[in-house]
Amino acid sequence: MVNKIETWVEVPANSDFSIYNLPIGIFCENVGVKRVGMALGDFVLDLNAIHEAGFFEEIDLPQGVFKSDTLNDYIALGKTITNALRIKVQELMSVTNEEIQGSQEYISYIFKKRAQVQMFMPVQVPNYTDFYSSMEHATNVGTMFRDPENALLPNWKHIPVGYHGRASSIIPSGVNIHRPKGQRKDPNKEMPEFGPTTRLDFELEMAFITGRTTELGQNVPAGKAEDYIFGFVLFNDWSARDIQQWEYVPLGPFLAKSFASSISPWVVSIEALEPFRTNGPKQEPEVFPYLKTDGPRNFDIQLEVAIQPEGEEATTVCRSNFKQMYWSVNQQLAHQTINGCNLQVGDMYGSGTISGATPDSYGSMLELAWKGTKPLPLANNKTRVFIEDGDTVTMRGYAEKDGVRVGFGEVSTKVLPAN
């Protein structure tokens, strides 16, 4: 059960950014510097303004912590402080609290309209790991490219498969990308060719952000992994399928993945997702002890993807759910560190493509159009087998239960022609 909180702030009934959520991000007004804010309904709460007004006096906060262009220093303060601050903002915004309520001076100083601010990368990402944790996705890909009877490779149910990706090309929602170029090989031709990808794809993912550092040689037990996870964002891990198919042997993805990954700008804390815990799929065979956890470790988060060709209306092409992931975030972080790999604040971990059991829940064009063999219908008699120039891909996600909604907003990206 969720303790019901009524707020004096006008929040639309279907808002992702309820008082139960209060996600955090980096914003800037037309004139001004970047600073830290929280989303509530259609507003951004300027945390620096609240701090300067003296409402956070009981919380041990460094001076100027909210005058920053990243959340890293704030996150590094630890959960004792960040959770206390989120609870304090809930208190200030609750209908029974009159410290800010009714004061037009405070309200005009603290509240900014979300539609009138610009959002930026919430964190500086030191390291990025991408996992491959949806059994349905891995099975679909294995079926397409290998033997359908042995779609999953022998290691898949024993380890959370992943690779170290490119952190510098992770970008926030609203930043356009150019179609990447590289080598690709037509199976019917003897030699490879060079040029823009003809098989540009999205990958529907979630990503979590770490909030603590560890020393080289340390490992994080699966049961304590959530102590090291600050929060989550939506994650579109763009992929150039034809470039990837040629280059990935023997070392894995390179140019096909490093050109861009897009994220939603608001970071939803793992604490805000507490009411939406659920059990993941049964794991067989039994996992090694370092990957074992107790209790529900997955999260029931509804996800969707829409494609909008330039000048046309958008079509929702996928509806999936984060709860279906075979490997939980706890297991992913435990596996990342079991060899002694050290963590840094702001590290980002992609879930891997989130696909469900039905064709309308597949989390990539590779699956939705089945390797280009089944054109996907869009509005106005348009079709797609992969993403074309001028297309805008938008991902949305939210959790909802017992009248409580916690959402992520969206990550939206337009594809421009090759540069």
Side-chain angles (χ1 to χ4, degrees):
M1 288 291 295
V2 179
N3 291 328
K4 291 299 176 79
I5 308 171
E6 188 177 349
T7 178
W8 56 269
V9 181
E10 187 175 342
V11 177
N14 63 343
S15 175
D16 280 350
F17 306 132
S18 66
I19 194 168
Y20 303 98
N21 188 356
L22 297 177
I24 195 163
I26 299 295
F27 78 99
C28 181
E29 297 174 274
N30 292 332
V31 179
V33 297
K34 295 178 186 177
R35 51 200 189 277
V36 181
M38 273 184 171
L40 177 60
D42 294 331
F43 299 98
V44 175
L45 308 178
D46 187 334
L47 294 187
N48 185 66
I50 299 176
H51 190 205
E52 289 185 344
F55 292 110
F56 294 150
E57 284 184 348
E58 69 269 40
I59 303 172
D60 186 17
L61 294 166
Q63 194 67 31
V65 69
F66 299 120
K67 289 181 178 178
S68 178
D69 56 4
T70 76
L71 295 174
N72 295 55
D73 288 345
Y74 172 72
I75 293 172
L77 296 175
K79 284 180 178 281
T80 300
I81 289 177
T82 59
N83 288 343
L85 185 129
R86 180 171 160 272
I87 292 168
K88 179 62 179 179
V89 174
Q90 282 182 328
E91 178 188 318
L92 290 169
M93 299 299 139
S94 67
V95 72
T96 57
N97 189 292
E98 298 182 352
E99 293 176 83
I100 297 174
Q101 181 183 181
S103 169
Q104 195 53 49
E105 180 183 358
Y106 278 144
I107 291 172
S108 61
Y109 182 48
I110 291 167
F111 284 74
K112 315 297 176 183
K113 290 184 178 179
R114 223 167 17 91
Q116 297 177 1
V117 305
Q118 183 179 357
M119 299 301 298
F120 298 88
M121 273 292 293
V123 293
Q124 192 277 319
V125 183
N127 304 287
Y128 157 51
T129 296
D130 188 34
F131 286 99
Y132 189 54
S133 293
S134 161
M135 185 164 64
E136 290 78 7
H137 174 67
T139 300
N140 287 338
V141 173
T143 299
M144 282 183 224
F145 292 100
R146 291 188 301 274
D147 175 12
E149 298 299 317
N150 298 284
L152 293 179
L153 290 170
N155 66 348
W156 200 89
K157 287 191 173 182
H158 293 276
I159 61 172
V161 174
Y163 74 96
H164 191 71
R166 182 76 181 180
S168 67
S169 54
I170 300 176
I171 55 175
S173 177
V175 176
N176 300 334
I177 65 169
H178 287 274
R179 179 174 296 273
K181 296 175 289 193
Q183 292 187 30
R184 55 186 193 267
K185 172 72 165 59
D186 186 323
N188 299 315
K189 295 181 180 179
E190 183 179 353
M191 297 295 290
E193 57 186 1
F194 172 82
T197 179
T198 61
R199 296 193 162 199
L200 181 62
D201 201 355
F202 65 79
E203 292 186 358
L204 171 62
E205 302 191 23
M206 300 287 298
F208 68 84
I209 297 167
T210 49
R212 291 174 62 178
T213 61
T214 60
E215 297 296 323
L216 195 67
Q218 284 185 289
N219 62 276
V220 175
K224 295 185 178 298
E226 291 173 21
D227 295 342
Y228 294 78
I229 296 173
F230 176 75
F232 292 80
V233 293
L234 299 171
F235 195 79
N236 182 355
D237 192 24
W238 293 96
S239 182
R241 299 296 184 183
D242 45 1
I243 296 173
Q244 184 174 356
Q245 189 173 1
W246 174 238
E247 73 178 1
Y248 86 99
V249 179
L251 292 181
F254 188 43
L255 300 185
K257 303 293 293 183
S258 61
F259 62 96
S261 299
S262 304
I263 69 168
S264 53
W266 292 105
V267 183
V268 175
S269 69
I270 194 170
E271 287 74 24
L273 295 173
E274 187 67 30
F276 311 103
R277 287 184 179 276
T278 186
N279 290 312
K282 182 175 175 59
Q283 294 184 325
E284 294 179 329
E286 187 177 2
V287 299
F288 281 99
Y290 79 94
L291 292 171
K292 289 184 178 180
T293 56
D294 296 321
R297 298 293 183 174
N298 283 26
F299 297 94
D300 185 359
I301 300 172
Q302 302 283 348
L303 301 165
E304 64 179 50
V305 184
I307 299 174
Q308 183 177 15
E310 193 161 25
E312 301 284 347
E313 62 182 286
T315 302
T316 299
V317 297
C318 163
R319 288 185 171 88
S320 194
N321 196 300
F322 189 44
K323 69 182 179 182
Q324 297 160 150
M325 302 303 282
Y326 187 87
W327 295 105
S328 71
V329 295
N330 298 65
Q331 293 173 318
Q332 289 171 347
L333 197 61
H335 188 65
Q336 171 78 68
T337 62
I338 195 62
N339 66 342
C341 173
N342 55 315
L343 304 179
Q344 293 180 275
V345 172
D347 285 351
M348 194 165 288
Y349 299 82
S351 62
T353 304
I354 303 167
S355 293
T358 58
D360 61 346
S361 66
Y362 294 165
S364 68
M365 288 300 294
L366 180 68
E367 297 163 273
L368 290 165
W370 206 254
K371 205 180 174 183
T373 63
K374 299 177 181 179
L376 190 67
L378 304 183
N380 298 327
N381 296 317
K382 303 288 183 182
T383 61
R384 288 290 183 271
V385 291
F386 287 99
I387 302 302
E388 297 184 8
D389 293 348
D391 288 352
T392 297
V393 176
T394 301
M395 298 177 176
R396 298 181 178 89
Y398 67 92
E400 195 163 22
K401 181 181 179 182
D402 299 330
V404 173
R405 183 177 173 114
V406 170
F408 293 80
E410 66 178 37
V411 51
S412 188
T413 313
K414 185 175 182 177
V415 176
L416 304 179
N419 204 339

